[in-house]
Amino acid sequence: MRFLLIVAVFLLARSPAVHPGDSQKTRREFQPAFAGTLGPPHYFLEHRQLRRPRVGLALSGGGARALAQVGVLLALEEHGIPIDLIAGTSMGGVIGGLYAAGYSARQLMDITRNIPWGELMVDTPPRSTLFIAQKAERDRSYLQIRFNGFKPYIPPALTPGQKLITLLTDLTMRATYRASANFDNLRIPFRAVATDLYSGKEVIIADGDLAEALRASVAMPLLLAPVSRDSMLLVDGGLVDNIPVSVVRRHHIDVAIAVDATSKLRTRTELNAPWEVADQVTSIMQRDHNERQRQAVDVLIRLAEEQRTSMDFSNLDSLFEAGYRAALATMDELKEKLSANITGSNSNALLDDAIEIAHVYVNGSLSDWPGAAKNVHSNGQSVMQIRTQEIESRLAEHYGTGDYAAVRALVQDDSVAPALHLELTPNPILEAVSFSGNTVFSDSVLLSRMQSPLRKPINHIRSHEDLQAIIELYRSNGYALAEIHQVSFNRESGELSIDIEEGYIADIKIEGAQRTKSLVILREFPLKVGDIFDSNRSAAGIQNIHSLGLFDRVAINITRRLGDAPSASTGERQPTAEIHIKLEEKPFQLIRLGARYDTERFGRLWFELGDENLLGLASTLFVHGVVGSKDNAAILSWRVDRLLRTYLSFSAQARYRYSKHFTYDGGPRSIGEYEDRRYGVFFSIGQQVRRFGAVSAEVDLSTIRRRGITGTGYPVGRESLNTLTFRSVVDTQDRVPFSRRGRYAHLAYTMALGELQSEPSFFKFIARLEASATLRKRHTLNPRFMAGTSDQFTPFSEQFRLGGQEEFYGLHDQELIGRHFVLMSLEYRYRFPTKFIFDTYLSPRIDFGAVWRDKNDVNYRKFKRALGISLGWDSPLGPILLAIGKMEQRRYRFTFSAGFRF
């Protein structure tokens, strides 16, 4: 009885008022079910949003397997399933965050295909980003131990995650939607799930920097370093909630969808690395919780590809296809859930009666009602039976086209001719478009990105797409902070005004630099206060700062200042973007170690001990030492790669070297052995040529003492060597050794300093040119040319030396000595498709060259040819080479070497 009373009251409340003269008529009005309001700056005009069920999507972790969720997103897109909230854990958080920021499923497919997954865990800066001295430093050491005071520093994970945060920052900055510190501002509201290591609690990240949130959610213990946020230390959200259905449920969702890409437990053979064991423990602990989350969801999409592990990033297309198929298998169930919620939320659900309609009018013109059959009424009139839900649905279809400012339906019901009138009010006509605030792109360029035609009614959907296209133009060119600041439409003139905020920098702040001076950091960052923020230049600056070698991690966060109104005095908009460069300093005291063995010089050890950030100015102070059977050295060095804000460099050394060498006289047997001791000081001042070259002037003040051990072929005694050298080096090689691309050019001219030189004056010039080019990833050609000349007074210690497997096959180390030489080599290097523990190379090479004692001895008949082949392994301890070669009439010579050269 109470239910019937409620229905009666509701019917009376909806009945239209009866006016004089309408006693024989009733009038009913219908409108679509509306929710909130949308409008500028995302649309040209304010309009209402149609009501529909709210859909939430929970994306799980699962490493590589979680990439199948991109295929799920594609299926949802193709079937028009709207998403109102995304919550993601770990890799699911990365996918969900990027999708929420505006990337389509197909764009995510392209992005994930192009990511070098195997290199993400290697945070060493690319060699191309280092200065020349830094490249030489890297090319000679393999073990590095840092110290906090007198205690060795143990890093919290295998990698700090610099390469990953750089990638995520670039992707989020290029996305169409920026979070602007709140993830509800994205195209789809988003939540990232992480775990606080201090409390063990789940952390739902809904604001801040999106790239940092994604990096925190995916920070697998032992593999990726944790992320500091406020007073928390965040790691992978999969530790506490790997399928975040409960997070979705907290946000008033009508239909919750969960995608389960979690991995099966690893087998005995798959538990090798510490992070794999940690992942197994997490999976075991999460089994019961994951099952409860699966039960709490409305629609569960579960990945069926059971064989793929979480670390297998091969053949991603099969993963996308697996996710796509899994989503399609649940599509009927999903649409049924959505339909049930639409019916349940309809305001006229209790009044879904059938109305008899004789005529249908659209804006006063007689029309038909598709699908409705006409029947003969008892009074003989032909009528249609139309349900009220059909009317509301038809109105929603019209309004959903975006062409109309308002829609409604009126039913004029009398005994003579019941009629349905659809009143569709079109949007105003767009007559003109003007822009303000744009300096990067002209009005004509921005207008060309828009599809809304002039002198036609505005379409809400197209207006949204037009504004998106403008922002995408800015984003694709690196202007990551550009936003549509204001959109206004003058209904009288039909003119649309679009005001653009291009993202001017108001301030640059540095966080986390305890010892390093701000000067050192800001000189590497190319953007300045007052510039328009450019993500391409910002990324280059972050790379430059990281390449200093002083920081475990370098990231950038951006905040907006309040109040960006134009200046009252100039009319210009005030900069509002604050750039925060966030740093995590390394301990700066360290030891570097290296070792090498070869069949010529035998074994030797090398070490460096010192500080790589002296006085916080990125200058290095080190003691170097070499200990070996034939080579020993002790060096104290100070180096500054950049003086203040310039690209000038400086270095100074005090050094002592001791070495033993054999002499030869045209044959493979030695005729003598001597020892060489030299000590002195060295100074260099130069100019960096960006990060691929340097020119310098060097002064070497040394004393040499040479003593015979056996035989002849060398002078003995003491000599002073005081020289000035002008040097130019260009090095764009991607790696050393086994370079795959790049060039190396070295030119040096040396002359004796007359006033300081006790020996006769001399000069010498040397040139070395080398290039590498790789075809089809495995085939590398490496041509090389070297030549040198000097005058007749060049002392024995400064004459050119040639020999050894790495220079000339078939010759002993320094077997040929003279004042002039030429050497040409051509090497082909093949990288095996299968690793034999390490990357393995087979390298045949031909050498052609000669050395002459003096210019009267120069003769092309002295050119010698040698052939050889080597098998090499690129190990972390340095290259390992087995080689065999032969020079013309001589016997084959076998050599072995292991370790970096120093």
Side-chain angles (χ1 to χ4, degrees), residues 535-552:
S535 64
N536 296 318
R537 297 175 67 195
S538 171
I542 294 303
Q543 183 67 75
N544 291 344
I545 296 170
H546 186 243
S547 296
L548 292 172
L550 307 178
F551 308 102
D552 273 331

Side-chain angles (χ1 to χ4, degrees), residues 304-456:
E305 191 172 331
E306 294 292 337
Q307 301 305 314
R308 186 183 291 264
T309 67
S310 61
M311 301 299 289
D312 182 3
F313 289 93
S314 63
N315 192 15
L316 294 184
D317 285 339
S318 69
L319 265 177
F320 303 148
E321 180 63 24
Y324 184 79
R325 291 196 310 268
L328 290 183
T330 63
M331 199 58 66
D332 290 342
E333 177 190 3
L334 174 56
K335 289 182 177 179
E336 184 179 336
K337 296 277 187 182
L338 292 175
S339 177
N341 273 273
I342 290 174
T343 303
S345 63
N346 195 302
S347 61
N348 288 319
L350 296 175
L351 305 174
D352 189 21
D353 53 346
I355 304 175
E356 291 186 342
I357 301 295
H359 304 289
V360 176
Y361 296 89
V362 178
N363 286 348
S365 298
L366 187 64
S367 182
D368 59 3
W369 192 269
K374 288 193 174 184
N375 300 308
V376 178
H377 193 264
S378 57
N379 63 5
Q381 185 178 6
S382 178
V383 296
M384 297 174 285
Q385 294 278 340
I386 302 178
R387 304 180 68 86
T388 56
Q389 278 194 11
E390 289 182 63
I391 297 173
E392 288 193 352
S393 178
R394 185 62 52 85
L395 289 172
E397 287 179 12
H398 283 294
Y399 194 77
T401 64
D403 289 326
Y404 301 103
V407 297
R408 68 172 182 167
L410 297 175
V411 176
Q412 300 287 354
D413 188 8
D414 59 27
S415 57
V416 179
L420 173 64
H421 295 265
L422 297 184
E423 297 180 359
L424 311 179
T425 305
N427 285 321
I429 293 175
L430 179 65
E431 296 288 352
V433 180
S434 64
F435 296 93
S436 60
N438 53 308
T439 61
V440 177
F441 300 108
S442 66
D443 290 9
S444 60
V445 170
L446 297 180
L447 193 59
S448 69
R449 304 288 292 188
M450 300 175 61
Q451 299 300 314
S452 295
L454 297 179
R455 291 172 290 282
K456 297 287 184 180

Side-chain angles (χ1 to χ4, degrees), residues 725-885:
T725 299
F726 297 98
R727 192 181 309 276
S728 171
V729 178
V730 172
D731 185 353
T732 63
Q733 296 176 109
D734 61 332
R735 58 211 306 264
V736 172
F738 308 119
S739 63
R740 296 174 186 171
R741 62 181 179 276
R743 293 177 175 81
Y744 180 83
H746 177 198
L747 304 175
Y749 177 82
T750 300
M751 61 181 181
L753 293 172
E755 296 183 2
L756 298 175
Q757 186 72 34
S758 60
E759 307 295 332
S761 180
F762 71 93
F763 80 88
K764 70 174 184 177
F765 173 79
I766 186 171
R768 176 178 175 178
L769 306 173
E770 187 174 345
S772 298
T774 299
L775 304 174
R776 297 183 179 179
K777 298 183 180 181
R778 304 199 176 280
H779 308 275
T780 302
L781 285 177
N782 181 205
R784 182 179 60 188
F785 171 81
M786 297 174 63
T789 186
S790 60
D791 67 15
Q792 60 180 338
F793 298 111
T794 304
F796 178 80
S797 61
E798 292 303 292
Q799 293 178 18
F800 302 113
R801 287 157 169 77
L802 198 63
Q805 173 268 322
E806 295 184 13
E807 287 186 346
F808 207 117
Y809 273 114
L811 291 179
H812 291 282
D813 177 58
Q814 299 189 15
E815 182 174 330
L816 302 181
I817 301 177
R819 293 182 176 87
H820 313 274
F821 85 100
V822 172
L823 174 63
M824 294 172 283
S825 299
L826 179 62
E827 181 179 66
Y828 162 75
R829 191 162 53 246
Y830 173 72
R831 181 164 61 96
F832 286 90
T834 302
K835 290 186 179 182
F836 299 96
I837 304 179
F838 310 113
D839 280 342
T840 306
Y841 300 85
L842 186 67
S843 307
R845 192 183 79 214
I846 181 171
D847 301 320
F848 186 70
V851 177
W852 301 277
R853 293 284 183 181
D854 55 56
K855 64 180 180 180
N856 296 324
D857 193 36
V858 175
N859 192 312
Y860 74 91
R861 293 187 180 89
K862 288 200 172 184
F863 274 93
K864 301 295 182 182
R865 185 182 66 251
L867 294 172
I869 189 169
S870 68
L871 185 65
W873 290 268
D874 190 11
S875 82
L877 304 182
I880 301 172
L881 293 172
L882 293 171
I884 186 169

